[in-house]
Amino acid sequence: MHRHLPAILIVALLLAFRVAGILFPEALPNFQPLAAVFFCGALLAPGWRGFALPMGIWAVTYPFGVGPVYSPSIFATTLLAFVAIFFLGKALVPKGKGALLLGSIAAAAVFHLITCTASWLGDPMLYQKTLSGFWQSVWTGPIGSKQPSWVFLRNLAAANLIFTAIFVVSQVRAPKPETAGLPVGAE
């Protein structure tokens, strides 16, 4: 049970934020730890499990998403964005904890660019296929939208930074007491 406690706590945290997002969609749109879980996958578990664990968590919490999340194209785009930020995190793990914290903001930008680009390309009614139409998808969002796109980017970057910091701190091991030079049992 002890071994599975971190995963259980992460799933509970995700569920709590998903439910809060449903109840208060206007307050903190896109302030979710899910992208940070994919970004920090290499910290959570080595090898393929570093991706499988966040993927499993996403599968458990997916029904709690807000909006038209059940579209196959939105699912595929979101999965592509999660894969990209997972590999970004994997590349930054050897560089240290500071790189991960800065990388968490870059991961938010990558996620935002992938999803906004897909929206720009995939919906001809929302955006013109011009540079200004692309900018609209990345920064202001569709005409008549309650929240501009940059708010989603800001909240995702804040959530990534906060939750990546939590993951990084949780990985810090307590140092063993210095007993060098002391006979066994003399600590």
Side-chain angles (χ1 to χ4, degrees):
M1 177 65 181
H2 242 245
R3 193 176 95 197
H4 300 292
L5 189 60
I8 292 169
L9 290 174
I10 290 170
V11 170
L13 180 70
L14 283 169
L15 285 171
F17 272 90
R18 291 282 200 165
V19 170
I22 290 169
L23 295 175
F24 309 105
E26 304 290 323
L28 286 174
N30 212 31
F31 190 83
Q32 299 285 327
L34 189 56
V37 175
F38 275 93
F39 179 70
C40 295
L43 285 174
L44 296 172
W48 65 270
R49 289 179 289 165
F51 184 79
L53 181 63
M55 189 65 191
I57 292 169
W58 185 36
V60 168
T61 62
Y62 192 70
F64 296 97
V66 179
V69 295
Y70 297 107
S71 160
S73 61
I74 292 175
F75 180 86
T77 301
T78 305
L79 180 58
L80 173 67
F82 284 147
V83 168
I85 63 174
F86 170 77
F87 282 109
L88 176 61
K90 200 122 176 101
L92 292 176
V93 165
K95 303 207 182 308
K97 292 169 179 36
L100 279 173
L101 292 177
L102 290 174
S104 69
I105 296 169
V110 166
F111 187 91
H112 187 71
L113 284 173
I114 289 172
T115 55
C116 287
T117 300
S119 179
W120 174 67
L121 289 172
D123 195 339
M125 300 304 290
L126 285 180
Y127 305 111
Q128 294 179 355
K129 302 304 175 247
T130 62
L131 189 56
S132 64
F134 177 72
W135 179 253
Q136 179 188 359
S137 76
V138 171
W139 196 251
T140 60
I143 294 173
S145 176
K146 293 180 182 180
Q147 300 272 348
S149 297
W150 67 264
V151 171
F152 293 92
L153 174 60
R154 178 199 66 195
N155 291 352
L156 181 59
N160 268 11
L161 184 60
I162 290 167
F163 292 110
T164 298
I166 290 169
F167 292 132
V168 166
V169 168
S170 73
Q171 295 299 310
V172 174
R173 306 277 190 248
K176 294 185 178 186
E178 291 293 324
T179 58
L182 295 175
V184 176
E187 293 96 42

